[in-house]
Amino acid sequence: MNRRKFLSLASTGVLAASASVNCRSAAAAENPEAAGVLHDSTLCIGCRSCEAACQSVNAAILPKPENYSIPEKPFYDRSVLATKRRTDFQRFTVVNRYDMEGRRPVHRKFQCNHCMEPACASACFVKALYKTPEGPVLYRPELCVGCRYCMVACPFFVPAYDYDNALNPLIYKCTMCAPRLASGKLPGCVSQCPEKALIFGKRSELLKIARERIAESPEKYVNHIYGEHEVGGTNWLYLSPVPHALLDQPQLSSTPPPELTTGALRSVAMIAGIWPVMLGGAYLINKRRERMAEEEKQAAVARALAGATAPEKRAGQTAEGMPQSRDGE
């Protein structure tokens, strides 16, 4: 590759890297038709039917489905609720129980919240994670480079990495059952909730339902719809009889994460693009110096050889001009 071609490709890489860090999602603006789910903790009984449904629906895309399609303990076994769990590469959702003094336990479902302006997507410089206008935040494994920036960026600690796969480790998270939504079906967890603790619908309508429930039963709910404003809003919303912080819901501002990281991420992209140019430029300069040094060396050797042969030529010429001795007559 010649220097001109290298610099041309490197410059293109800088522009591509800068353009790829469009931290504000194209789907960030609230879409009144975007889908969402409302989880009412006052109705959830911790039956884990949603976990079973999620596992069944996603068995085909979970790693090693032949090993993980059946959990270590049956889904009807509620003893697992004694331990706080989180999602991982084998399961997209879990239910946790929170024991409250003087009242019955409260259960909360944990999965991807499908932020309206997802931090995971803004941190992903190859756009393997992206927000769809329909609501779900989806993942393109063929683009993933395994940097795991999404795991660091997510304020809800959702994206999970398959550390057991050394050849092709991927990120795993809830997709809100996007393939089912595309075919007119409910998300698996919603379809199997026996207590109707999960309601699927347009986010705008879910907010109305949540406000009506709070207004009708103020003694039953805290006056806070979690996900309405947190991190710019999420497509998964929550109602609770106790402060959401008691259910391990992170206390977050209403500022979307991309607004906080735009400058830094653009700098990362520029550095990632400029660094090869700088290294390439240094390499070309060093190669030019080496070539010039070699040329100077060869020139010096030629001059030295020329200087060494000059006296010999002069000596030979003198010898030819001298008269021969008598012995040689």
Side-chain angles (χ1 to χ4, degrees), residues 71-211:
E72 294 181 4
K73 292 184 178 181
F75 285 112
Y76 59 77
D77 187 345
R78 300 191 187 184
S79 65
V80 299
L81 299 178
T83 302
K84 299 298 184 293
R85 300 172 296 151
R86 57 155 293 170
T87 58
D88 54 35
F89 70 93
Q90 301 172 17
R91 52 194 176 184
F92 290 168
T93 188
V94 296
V95 174
N96 286 326
R97 185 185 70 210
Y98 297 85
D99 296 319
M100 303 289 170
E101 185 177 354
R103 61 168 304 126
R104 70 179 184 85
V106 180
H107 299 87
R108 178 176 74 89
K109 185 176 180 293
F110 176 35
Q111 75 297 301
C112 176
N113 286 323
H114 300 277
C115 303
M116 294 170 63
E117 297 189 51
C120 60
S122 71
C124 183
F125 59 89
V126 295
K127 298 304 175 188
L129 285 157
Y130 64 102
K131 176 72 173 180
T132 64
E134 294 77 21
V137 175
L138 302 180
Y139 172 67
R140 291 180 284 227
E142 69 277 7
L143 298 181
C144 185
V145 297
C147 69
R148 289 165 284 174
Y149 289 169
C150 57
M151 297 176 66
V152 178
C154 178
F156 303 106
F157 312 104
V158 168
Y161 194 67
D162 183 4
Y163 290 98
D164 291 349
N165 191 334
L167 298 179
N168 187 32
L170 300 174
I171 290 291
Y172 290 88
K173 62 176 251 358
C174 161
T175 65
M176 204 191 291
C177 290
R180 289 174 60 89
L181 300 186
S183 61
K185 298 179 181 178
L186 291 172
C189 58
V190 177
S191 67
Q192 297 301 315
C193 182
E195 300 298 318
K196 306 303 179 185
L198 295 171
I199 305 175
F200 174 82
K202 298 177 183 179
R203 184 178 186 273
S204 55
E205 295 178 353
L206 296 177
L207 286 171
K208 292 179 181 179
I209 293 173
R211 293 191 187 103

